[in-house]
């Protein structure tokens, strides 16, 4: 009873959030010293230098460490909102404010039928597991936009699409939140909004898309899944080494191009799987609610006598399968799986990437019908291991010591497991064969047409 009360009480939630975030602020403000290399130099040196260039109305296109889409300028320039604070301090304070805003969104989303406060708790617990790095990168701000897009999808499809477009122009990956949203509205809003904002940047600020060249020329970052090949190979005479390249520690040497190509091929395969899933899920009856699984067909709720025919094209006039095909929890689950797949196949897995996954995991757990319980737990475990490999024991990772290799193997293994388990759960939850061959509108034995506790992800 006490545990349940703690889970539902905003007092406990705010108290734990406040205590952990105060600790993070003390670390980034250097009141307390976090072991390992200084993670705040990106803000105090690199971001600050970019800030001075961006203030002039142009992008730092001559700096190879600038590898971000044009809307990243908003995050880098945001400390100007607090002109009475030094740049780095203002950035950290804004990061904390965004953190609080995400918590408020998740708490609100976790209330009501079919919802759960566990999503807010995943955020409260998951973010500090990553250590002070999470406040010393702008990825938390990007994650906030992606979280807001997913939470808006159920009632405000166009807003969700527009937010996804803004997120994509901040750091590309939020475009993946669209993958599980049904209907045309979010996609059209994302396309129109993204094209308009990108065009505005291209016209008004030179060098807006120089980052595309820098990304193409990157190597294999030492924390990525593919890097494990070279960590082991160094113990068997591999002639390459680790150098600071394009702003991160990367392997350079023989066969690096091959591993990089394989990584990009795996990313392409992941995209292909997501496309196949989208097509198959769109042709299958929608996911069942937890209640419909445990009740026999004759015990399912029947339409009320007050039900009246609705005008053609209205949400309630559509067939049950078309309404429920992409439920709210499906949009969150699909986004989580998509980002997991592209994270584990990427040539780079920086520590701050985990905050993306924590944010999406939190949205998933706001829905009781989510199938991502195990993948979310695996991501939280990976977050804890991540703070061990960076910054605490990053020297071991760079030197490819047995300890460094073991940490990377465990962390990346947890992420791979989360991706595979999540992909399997998503497929089983949404792609159904049924006795009618999985045709839209058909339902097999035991598949109820009762409405889910979730609201549809979009309507139309």
């Amino acid at each position: 009873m006490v545990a349940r009360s703690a889970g539902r009480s905003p007092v406990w939630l705010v108290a734990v959030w406040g205590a952990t975030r105060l600790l993070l602020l003390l670390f980034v403000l250097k009141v307390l010293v976090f072991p390992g290399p200084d993670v705040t130099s990106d803000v105090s040196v690199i971001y600050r230098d970019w800030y001075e260039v961006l203030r002039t109305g142009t992008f730092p296109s001559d700096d190879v460490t600038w590898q971000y889409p044009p809307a990243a300028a908003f995050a880098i320039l945001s400390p100007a909102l607090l002109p009475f604070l030094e740049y780095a301090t203002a950035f950290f304070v804004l990061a904390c404010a965004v953190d609080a805003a995400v918590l408020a969104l998740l708490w609100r989303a976790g209330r009501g039928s079919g919802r759960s406060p566990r999503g807010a708790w995943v955020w409260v617990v998951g973010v500090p597991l990553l250590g002070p790095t999470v406040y010393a990168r702008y990825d938390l701000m990007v994650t906030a936009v992606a979280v807001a897009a997913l939470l808006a999808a159920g009632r405000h499809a166009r807003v969700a699409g527009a937010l996804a477009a803004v997120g994509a122009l901040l750091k590309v990956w939020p475009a993946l939140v669209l993958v599980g949203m049904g209907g045309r509205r979010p996609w059209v809003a994302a396309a129109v909004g993204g094209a308009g904002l990108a065009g505005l940047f291209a016209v008004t600020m030179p060098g807006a898309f120089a980052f595309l060249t820098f990304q193409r020329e990157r190597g294999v970052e030492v924390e990525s899944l593919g890097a494990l090949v070279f960590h082991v190979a160094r113990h068997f005479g591999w002639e390459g080494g680790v150098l600071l390249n394009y702003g991160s520690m990367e392997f350079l040497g023989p066969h690096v191009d091959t591993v990089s190509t394989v990584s990009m091929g795996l990313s392409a395969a992941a995209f292909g799987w997501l496309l196949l899933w989208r097509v198959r899920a769109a042709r299958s009856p929608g996911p069942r609610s937890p209640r419909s699984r445990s009740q026999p067909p004759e015990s399912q709720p029947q339409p009320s006598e007050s039900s009246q025919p609705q005008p053609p094209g209205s949400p309630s006039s559509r067939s049950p399968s078309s309404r429920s095909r992409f439920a709210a929890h499906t949009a969150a689950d699909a986004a989580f799986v998509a980002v997991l797949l592209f994270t584990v196949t990427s040539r780079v897995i920086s520590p701050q990437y985990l905050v993306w996954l924590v944010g999406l995991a939190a949205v998933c757990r706001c829905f009781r019908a989510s199938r991502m319980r195990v993948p979310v737990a695996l991501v939280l475990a990976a977050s804890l291991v991540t703070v061990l490999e960076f910054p605490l024991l990053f020297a071991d990772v760079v030197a490819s010591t047995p300890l460094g290799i073991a940490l990377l193997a465990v962390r990346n293994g947890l992420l791979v497991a989360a991706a595979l388990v999540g992909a399997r759960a998503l497929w089983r939850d949404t792609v159904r064969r049924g006795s009618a061959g999985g045709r839209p509108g058909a339902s097999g034995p035991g598949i109820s047409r009762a409405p889910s506790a979730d609201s549809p992800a979009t309507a139309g």
Side-chain angles (χ1 to χ4, degrees), residues 304-311 314 316-317:
S304 64
E305 295 180 359
S306 61
S307 299
Q308 298 294 331
Q310 299 295 321
S314 65
S316 57
S317 70

Side-chain angles (χ1 to χ4, degrees), residues 336-354:
F336 182 51
V337 170
V339 175
L340 268 170
L341 290 172
F342 279 97
T343 297
V344 298
T345 59
S346 173
R347 294 175 292 171
V348 179
I349 306 182
S350 295
Q352 60 267 27
Y353 289 16
L354 272 291

Side-chain angles (χ1 to χ4, degrees), residues 105-456:
L105 288 173
L106 292 168
W107 173 250
R108 185 174 184 274
R111 305 176 67 185
S113 176
R115 303 301 179 94
S116 171
R118 291 186 179 91
W121 278 105
V122 167
W123 180 256
V124 167
V125 174
V127 168
L129 287 179
L130 295 169
T133 305
V134 75
Y135 274 11
R137 305 291 187 272
Y138 84 91
D139 294 79
L140 192 145
M141 301 174 184
V142 183
T143 302
V145 175
V147 167
L150 282 173
L151 294 178
R155 296 177 180 272
H156 307 286
R158 292 188 180 91
V159 172
L163 287 171
V166 172
L169 286 170
L170 278 167
K171 209 164 187 179
V172 180
W173 70 265
L176 294 172
V177 303
L178 292 167
V179 72
M181 294 184 189
R184 293 187 298 271
R185 291 179 182 178
W187 293 82
V188 171
V192 173
L197 187 56
L200 182 64
F201 275 116
V203 170
T204 60
M205 294 184 70
F209 296 96
F211 77 98
L212 294 172
T213 300
F214 301 149
Q215 281 286 352
R216 187 173 61 246
E217 296 175 353
R218 294 196 68 164
V220 175
E221 195 257 346
V222 295
E223 297 163 282
S224 66
L225 183 63
L228 283 169
V229 174
F230 301 112
H231 281 296
V232 174
R234 293 176 85 179
H235 292 271
F236 295 91
W238 181 65
E239 296 178 354
V242 176
L243 293 174
L244 182 63
N245 188 51
Y246 289 93
S248 65
M249 302 302 292
E250 298 182 353
F251 280 113
L252 298 175
H255 310 298
V256 169
D257 289 343
T258 301
V259 172
S260 180
T261 300
V262 170
S263 294
M264 289 187 287
L266 290 173
S267 294
F271 178 81
W273 183 89
L274 286 169
L275 182 61
L276 175 64
W277 167 79
R278 172 84 190 193
V279 172
R280 290 290 301 274
R283 294 177 178 176
S284 301
R288 292 171 289 170
S289 67
R291 179 175 298 179
S292 69
R293 288 184 177 84
S294 59
Q295 293 178 333
E298 61 271 14
S299 67
Q300 298 298 328
Q302 300 299 318
S304 64
E305 295 180 359
S306 61
S307 299
Q308 298 294 331
Q310 299 295 321
S314 65
S316 57
S317 70
R318 297 172 186 149
S319 67
S321 63
S322 66
R323 286 201 307 270
S324 61
R325 203 170 289 155
F326 291 98
H329 83 270
T330 306
D333 288 359
F336 182 51
V337 170
V339 175
L340 268 170
L341 290 172
F342 279 97
T343 297
V344 298
T345 59
S346 173
R347 294 175 292 171
V348 179
I349 306 182
S350 295
Q352 60 267 27
Y353 289 16
L354 272 291
V355 74
W356 313 347
L357 298 173
V358 169
L360 298 181
V363 178
C364 290
R365 295 298 276 132
C366 285
F367 300 98
R368 296 186 186 279
S370 172
R371 303 294 175 262
M372 296 296 128
R373 291 173 178 82
V374 173
V376 167
L378 291 172
V379 164
L380 291 177
S383 299
L384 180 59
V385 180
T386 295
V387 79
L388 296 178
E389 64 92 358
F390 184 90
L392 291 176
L393 298 169
F394 192 58
D396 287 274
V397 172
V398 173
S400 302
T401 68
L403 177 58
I405 295 174
L407 285 172
L408 280 183
V410 171
R411 195 280 301 271
N412 291 344
L414 288 167
L415 292 178
V416 170
L420 294 177
V421 173
R424 180 175 182 270
L426 178 66
W427 186 276
R428 294 185 66 182
D429 184 47
T430 54
V431 179
R432 307 193 181 285
R433 297 179 184 276
S435 62
R439 296 190 301 272
S443 59
I447 298 181
S448 169
R449 289 177 179 264
S452 168
D454 278 328
S455 61

